[in-house]
Amino acid sequence: MSKRDIVIAGYSETRIDFKSGRSAYDLAGEALSDLLTATGVDKNRIDGLSVTAPLSEAPNPFYAVYMTEALGLTPTWLNFGAIGGCSATGGVARAAAAIRDGACEVAVVLSSDAPSTSWRANYGAYRSEFQDPPGVQGPPASFGLLISRYIHQYGLKDEALGKIAVTQRAQALMNDNAYSKFKKPLTMEDYYASRVVSDPLRLLDCVMFCDGANAFLVTSEKTAREMGLQKMVYPTAFAEVTNFNGADMLADVTESGFAKISGTVFGKTGLKPKDIRMFQPYDDFTIAVLMQLEQFGFCKRGEGSDFILDTDLSHTGGLPTNTGGGQISAGQPGLASGGLNLAEAVRQMFGEGGARQVREPKNALVTGIGVIPYARNWGTSAAMILEA
């Protein structure tokens, strides 16, 4: 995806809320309406749609088709993304391929979920019988183990994870869409005082499931200009991998698929870590941010703590990171696909960051993480580079 023929020419994002009482369809309608208002595009021009599998509508095998009915769309290309937090960037990549193949011309990549209102997921498969030990209470337990293993291998400075939480909270204070409960400053003392939920994982190392939606307009540069759109960014590189080291029954839990795909996205663009203007990593837990900094080459393995402590990660710093607060401090809109991080990257590159606007936002590295097994690394890793 190194060509510069496809663009993201618009974005929208709803406010993030907890127990909103709304449905994924309702939130999706708001996101689409806001996207059409922002771009001025006629809804009838949309002939492609990518949606993400939501936790709140998990039992419905026809969710994607139902969504076209709810939104009044008649696409000639439909994609149903089920790779969790990789589904937004993955949807953009798949839409780009569909546009190049002539399957559609103007696509919307839409993610919407309301798990704090209605949780209807049942992961099933073999995990409960053969993989997850009794008493494991979801992703925090898996990441508690991952942190413990990282500490054993490399060592870890707690204050580095605390700095991620505190910095991202400061950014969220300037984000109108962030969950209202998080709109208060956070200190390092607050971080240390937060309870341990899965030793050594603290509450403030974790995301909070909320309700929300986001949407992106993807088309060719030619079509975007024909429609009179002026703001656009180019997704110049994308890579993903699922079930990394899957054949290794004793795979290193601290080794993620980013170790494999980081070179791919940088190779497609010719950029290096030092060239990245801002980093918008998927942040379900603070340790994931630290590990990605290492595995994308911003620092060496085991040096993530020192890199974080030595680097200004704020919107005015040397490596602006999750400048809208990320999911940890804005709220995780369920399986709204990692679109929160992508929306912030596009917003910044459109020059619409407001009080948290990054200077010279010429590019961004956006990542996604999907599926959290126990005693293994996350299931899918995805990365996209956007360029102006």
Side-chain angles (χ1 to χ4, degrees):
M1 197 167 158
S2 57
K3 298 178 181 178
R4 293 176 64 94
D5 56 335
I6 302 297
V7 298
I8 298 175
Y11 73 97
S12 69
E13 182 183 50
T14 69
R15 287 181 181 270
I16 299 168
D17 202 0
F18 183 71
K19 293 188 176 180
S20 66
R22 302 174 68 181
S23 71
Y25 299 103
D26 181 15
L27 291 161
E30 179 183 341
L32 177 62
S33 177
D34 289 348
L35 179 66
L36 296 176
T37 298
T39 59
V41 172
D42 187 327
K43 189 172 77 169
N44 294 323
R45 286 298 305 271
I46 299 170
D47 57 357
L49 179 67
S50 175
V51 295
T52 301
L55 295 164
S56 57
E57 294 290 334
N60 183 1
F62 305 116
Y63 172 73
V65 177
Y66 281 24
M67 184 60 79
T68 67
E69 294 177 351
L71 300 179
L73 298 174
T74 306
T76 56
W77 173 79
L78 182 64
N79 179 60
F80 189 39
I83 48 176
C86 301
S87 298
T89 53
V92 170
R94 288 156 175 77
I99 292 166
R100 289 183 179 122
D101 285 346
C104 62
E105 189 175 56
V106 180
V108 169
V109 175
L110 175 67
S111 301
S112 178
D113 201 1
S116 71
T117 293
S118 176
W119 178 282
R120 298 202 288 164
N122 179 9
Y123 299 139
Y126 60 86
R127 285 194 180 183
S128 58
E129 186 174 2
F130 295 111
Q131 187 188 65
D132 294 344
V136 169
Q137 298 295 312
S142 297
F143 269 83
L145 176 63
L146 188 153
I147 295 176
S148 294
R149 181 61 184 174
Y150 182 94
I151 291 171
H152 174 76
Q153 292 185 190
Y154 301 111
L156 176 67
K157 297 178 180 177
D158 289 351
E159 59 268 34
L161 299 186
K163 181 178 177 180
I164 292 172
V166 170
T167 302
Q168 292 197 184
R169 178 64 65 88
Q171 303 288 98
L173 298 179
M174 297 178 279
N175 182 354
D176 292 339
N177 289 330
Y179 176 40
S180 58
K181 183 178 179 179
F182 295 154
K183 297 299 250 342
K184 60 181 181 180
L186 181 69
T187 66
M188 190 66 75
E189 289 72 23
D190 295 328
Y191 172 78
Y192 280 122
S194 65
R195 71 179 185 273
V196 174
V197 294
S198 181
D199 192 21
L201 187 78
R202 291 180 169 87
L203 179 65
L204 290 176
D205 287 314
C206 310
V207 293
M208 178 176 173
F209 264 141
C210 296
D211 304 345
N214 47 74
F216 304 90
L217 187 74
V218 182
T219 187
S220 67
E221 179 183 7
K222 178 181 178 182
T223 299
R225 297 199 183 282
E226 288 175 352
M227 292 191 296
L229 298 174
Q230 300 298 318
K231 292 185 177 182
M232 59 190 75
V233 297
Y234 300 83
T236 53
F238 174 78
E240 71 179 53
V241 62
T242 297
N243 199 30
F244 180 63
N245 283 340
D248 184 354
M249 292 297 98
L250 295 175
D252 183 351
V253 68
T254 69
E255 186 83 355
S256 79
F258 291 125
K260 177 181 179 67
I261 67 172
S262 58
T264 302
V265 291
F266 285 132
K268 287 182 177 180
T269 60
L271 297 173
K272 297 179 180 179
K274 65 181 179 61
D275 301 318
I276 295 300
R277 186 64 192 96
M278 68 182 116
F279 189 34
Q280 307 288 353
Y282 193 87
D283 60 320
D284 44 0
F285 298 91
T286 55
I287 188 65
V289 177
L290 182 150
M291 289 173 58
Q292 289 176 77
L293 286 167
E294 293 181 353
Q295 295 186 14
F296 277 98
F298 292 100
C299 58
K300 295 179 180 179
R301 297 295 175 87
E303 296 182 359
S305 292
D306 289 337
F307 179 84
I308 289 167
L309 294 173
D310 293 340
T311 304
D312 186 347
L313 303 177
S314 74
H315 69 282
T316 60
L319 183 62
T321 299
N322 281 339
T323 49
Q327 298 178 128
I328 287 174
S329 280
Q332 182 182 17
L335 287 189
S337 70
L340 179 145
N341 308 75
L342 179 59
E344 178 65 12
V346 176
R347 178 185 292 112
Q348 289 285 349
M349 294 185 70
F350 278 13
E352 298 175 357
R356 63 183 190 277
Q357 179 62 50
V358 172
R359 297 187 305 274
E360 299 179 3
K362 58 185 178 181
N363 63 49
L365 172 59
V366 185
T367 70
I369 291 173
V371 188
I372 309 300
Y374 185 79
R376 298 189 69 83
N377 205 268
W378 45 80
T380 300
S381 303
M384 175 172 282
I385 290 179
L386 305 177
E387 295 186 76

